[in-house]
């Protein structure tokens, strides 16, 4: 099998001027061999760095996603009145700015819009704070769960989390290689496009560089996905910035234009300001708890900007202003916190 992989390595690792792109089938086979470690450790490391230098294509990303679909977990569809929102953020976390996505997810779930997240523990290359640590600090432990249990909580509470070490150990096995290579590999982009859910869904994914967004669009089109949103968010996440304009790409099957660009400014809604720095997980959790208790704190504007926008974006609120007001109400009247309590109780009973 390693001999087969050598041919893939030759194509992507022949240098700037002579390297060749993989076909979709070749990309799928290459990643499947790496995930199952049928390729040797030396080959895996060489591929990861060579492919980063070459730069992935949309076709190759589609093949990588085919491999994830082939070997990874998938949640069955749940009964819901709206598509499940799949938020995909960088697995290596945030190290400079404070994440607010867990609160956004709780607000959406409290409004009847189910949310699915995925990720692992602290991961190279950034080793920033991962979402699973924030959930644990909020009293929700997504580790050591069966996929059926995650499906049950998603169905009953509108919230779920695919935890890589438990539900996708093959992908978790690549973490050591990523650490040894020391550079973010194309797998990091694959994770931003992965949606481990079989029912109707709306993928929301972050990006940093415009060429990455173009590759994402090509890969998703090849895989027949027509309902997704791209966000030039904080550190490549889905969190909208407040100190600059938010740039989003909207692809909706019911839209006449199909693809639309949306640019928003938090300052236009009196929510602009400097981004809240991430100093420690403990300090961040203190602020997240304060927000859930409806208390005024420096993180609240960022939460309202994000939760309010997404309430409008997914169609729960009729306007952005209405979404902002709805988000504030759900936080100050305790509804979002009640959803958190419900998730805690369901997981405790499993």
């Amino acid at each position: 099998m390693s001999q087969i992989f050598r041919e893939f390595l030759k194509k992507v690792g022949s240098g700037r001027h002579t390297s060749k792109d993989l076909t979709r089938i070749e990309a799928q086979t290459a990643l499947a061999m790496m995930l199952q470690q049928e390729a040797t450790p030396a080959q895996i490391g060489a591929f990861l760095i060579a492919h980063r230098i070459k730069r992935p294509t949309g076709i190759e990303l589609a093949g990588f996603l085919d491999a994830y679909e082939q070997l990874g977990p998938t949640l069955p569809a749940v009964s819901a009145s709206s598509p499940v929102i799949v938020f995909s953020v960088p697995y290596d976390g945030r190290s400079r700015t404070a994440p607010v996505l867990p609160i956004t997810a709780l607000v959406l779930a409290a409004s009847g819009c189910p949310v699915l997240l995925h990720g692992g523990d602290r991961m190279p290359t950034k080793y920033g704070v991962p979402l699973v640590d924030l959930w644990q600090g909020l009293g929700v432990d997504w580790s050591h769960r069966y996929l059926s249990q995650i499906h049950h909580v998603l169905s009953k509470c509108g919230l779920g989390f695919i935890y890589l070490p438990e539900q996708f150990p093959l992908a978790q096995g690549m973490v050591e290689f990523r650490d040894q290579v020391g550079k973010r590999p194309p797998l990091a982009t694959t994770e931003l496009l992965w949606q481990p859910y079989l029912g109707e869904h709306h993928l929301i994914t972050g990006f940093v560089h415009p060429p990455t967004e173009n590759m994402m669009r090509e890969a998703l089109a090849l895989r027949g996905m027509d309902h997704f949103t791209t966000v030039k968010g904080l550190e490549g996440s889905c969190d909208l910035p407040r100190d600059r304009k938010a740039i989003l790409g909207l692809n909706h099957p019911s839209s006449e234009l199909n693809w639309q660009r949306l640019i928003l400014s938090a300052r236009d809604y009196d929510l602009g300001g400097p981004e809240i720095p991430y100093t420690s997980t403990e300090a961040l959790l203190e602020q997240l708890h304060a927000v859930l208790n409806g208390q005024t704190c420096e993180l609240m504007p960022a939460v309202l900007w994000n939760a309010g926008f997404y309430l409008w974006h997914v169609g729960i609120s009729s306007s952005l202003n209405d979404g902002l007001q709805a988000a504030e109400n759900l936080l100050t009247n305790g509804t979002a916190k009640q959803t958190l309590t419900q998730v805690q109780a369901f997981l405790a009973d499993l």
Side-chain angles (χ1 to χ4, degrees), residues 148-195:
S148 60
Q149 294 175 322
I150 303 301
H151 180 262
H152 179 72
V153 178
L154 179 65
S155 177
K156 298 299 183 181
C157 304
L159 194 64
F161 191 100
I162 298 291
Y163 179 56
L164 208 68
E166 198 71 35
Q167 276 89 39
F168 199 177
L170 291 180
Q172 178 66 23
M174 296 294 293
V175 173
E176 182 179 357
F177 294 103
R178 295 163 73 156
D179 185 38
Q180 293 174 358
V181 167
K183 288 290 186 179
R184 185 177 290 158
L187 280 179
T189 307
T190 305
E191 291 156 354
L192 292 175
L193 299 176
W194 185 42
Q195 52 81 26

Side-chain angles (χ1 to χ4, degrees), residues 201-275:
H201 63 276
H202 176 180
L203 174 68
I204 301 178
T205 179
F207 74 96
V208 175
H209 306 295
T212 301
E213 184 190 36
N214 292 333
M215 284 190 297
M216 288 175 162
R217 291 179 59 191
E218 182 182 3
L220 294 174
L222 287 169
R223 286 183 48 81
M225 290 183 60
D226 56 7
H227 196 182
F228 61 88
T229 299
T230 60
V231 184
K232 188 172 174 57
L234 297 175
E235 299 183 58
S237 73
C238 300
D239 282 355
L240 274 61
R242 294 169 53 238
D243 66 349
R244 59 174 170 84
K245 290 184 177 180
I247 302 173
L248 303 98
L250 318 178
N251 200 97
H252 197 289
S254 65
S255 171
E256 293 182 1
L257 298 177
N258 201 26
W259 174 258
Q260 296 179 328
R261 180 67 73 195
L262 180 62
I263 299 177
L264 297 170
S265 174
R267 297 185 186 279
D268 294 339
Y269 298 87
D270 296 325
L271 291 172
E275 304 301 345

Side-chain angles (χ1 to χ4, degrees), residues 266-336:
R267 297 185 186 279
D268 294 339
Y269 298 87
D270 296 325
L271 291 172
E275 304 301 345
I276 306 303
Y278 169 76
T279 56
S280 70
T281 301
E282 293 75 17
L284 174 59
L285 285 169
E286 184 177 341
Q287 293 196 64
L288 292 176
H289 279 290
V291 168
L292 283 171
N293 287 323
Q295 300 171 4
T296 300
C297 65
E298 64 175 354
L299 195 64
M300 183 63 87
V303 171
L304 293 178
W305 177 232
N306 278 274
F309 165 76
Y310 283 113
L311 284 173
W312 169 56
H313 183 53
V314 303
I316 293 174
S317 297
S318 59
S319 69
L320 181 48
N321 278 319
D322 287 346
L324 297 172
Q325 186 61 59
E328 184 175 9
N329 292 340
L330 289 165
L331 290 166
T332 56
N333 67 18
T335 304

